[in-house]
Amino acid sequence: MNEISPQTVGERREARDWSGVAAVVAALIGFMALLVSGYTALIQRQQVSAQVWPYLLIGYADPERSIIVMNKGVGPAQVRAMQVLVDDKPQRSWSDVVKALGLDSDNLGKSTISGNVLSAGEKVEAMQMLDDASYERFRLAAQKRLKISICYCSTLGECWIRDRKVRDQNTTQVDTCPAWPADQQFKD
């Protein structure tokens, strides 16, 4: 019978130990590569998100006698839902808004915002009064009684609600746009 010398057993043990260490090191390197890859994907998502970020503003444009909606962001804004309230009561159209404010809706021009896409830098006159006197009456009546909420999303599906009441504007990020009941959704 062949005898195995203690030196041979030690050499085999070293070879096995080194292969085990090599396997652990390879697994750690693979895990580190996975972490770096995940972190890189996260950073790329944030960069793409910043490149398509929309930012809506709602305001009065006195020279044009109108309420405007403007996309000051760098990406398109997909308007998914809109709500306009007069005295906290939902209105369905600009004509309804003007009537709820106790004004004549004959001197009214309007554009549709709900369901549209506003390109970066685009400005839309959502509602326009056709003469100065009508606009002044509208603006005075609307100052404390009118609230506009627009829910819009980026092309990546990130969504925000922009609220405007009097001079205050507030933007809140949301998971999805609210499903306001049909009788509370603004259609213009």
Side-chain angles (χ1 to χ4, degrees):
M1 219 193 249
N2 290 340
E3 283 189 36
I4 300 175
S5 71
Q7 185 179 2
T8 308
V9 170
E11 287 172 5
R12 286 185 184 164
R13 222 181 265 152
E14 270 186 41
R16 273 187 265 149
D17 289 343
W18 282 114
S19 64
V21 168
V24 169
V25 168
L28 286 174
I29 289 172
F31 182 69
M32 292 298 288
L34 182 64
L35 288 177
V36 168
S37 174
Y39 180 71
T40 301
L42 175 68
I43 295 298
Q44 287 176 336
R45 166 96 176 152
Q46 290 172 339
Q47 289 173 340
V48 169
S49 179
Q51 291 171 348
V52 299
W53 177 63
Y55 186 72
L56 291 187
L57 293 176
I58 307 164
Y60 293 103
D62 292 340
E64 291 90 14
R65 299 179 308 273
S66 63
I67 290 180
I68 60 167
V69 177
M70 183 182 329
N71 183 357
K72 296 287 283 182
V74 293
Q78 301 169 347
V79 178
R80 301 246 173 107
M82 186 169 170
Q83 190 176 52
V84 178
L85 306 173
V86 174
D87 300 325
D88 295 324
K89 293 182 183 119
Q91 306 299 314
R92 305 265 296 144
S93 68
W94 287 114
S95 296
D96 293 342
V97 168
V98 172
K99 288 176 188 172
L101 291 171
L103 304 171
D104 181 17
S105 64
D106 291 340
N107 296 323
L108 180 65
K110 51 193 168 188
S111 296
T112 302
I113 300 291
S114 235
N116 276 336
V117 175
L118 276 70
S119 302
E122 185 175 359
K123 175 179 92 172
V124 176
E125 292 177 355
M127 188 279 312
Q128 181 181 34
M129 299 304 285
L130 302 177
D131 64 77
D132 290 336
S134 296
Y135 178 71
E136 287 303 317
R137 285 191 299 275
F138 170 79
R139 177 102 191 244
L140 185 63
Q143 275 184 337
K144 293 183 181 172
R145 299 172 59 197
L146 181 68
K147 180 182 178 190
I148 302 171
S149 297
I150 299 176
C151 187
Y152 62 98
C153 301
S154 73
T155 55
L156 294 178
E158 296 170 318
C159 300
W160 298 266
I161 294 178
R162 182 69 171 189
D163 288 320
R164 180 170 198 322
K165 185 169 185 173
V166 190
R167 294 188 184 272
D168 297 329
Q169 293 202 40
N170 183 30
T171 302
T172 307
Q173 189 163 9
V174 294
D175 292 332
T176 59
C177 287
W180 287 308
D183 64 332
Q184 295 182 14
Q185 291 182 26
F186 194 75
K187 295 298 179 187
D188 276 352

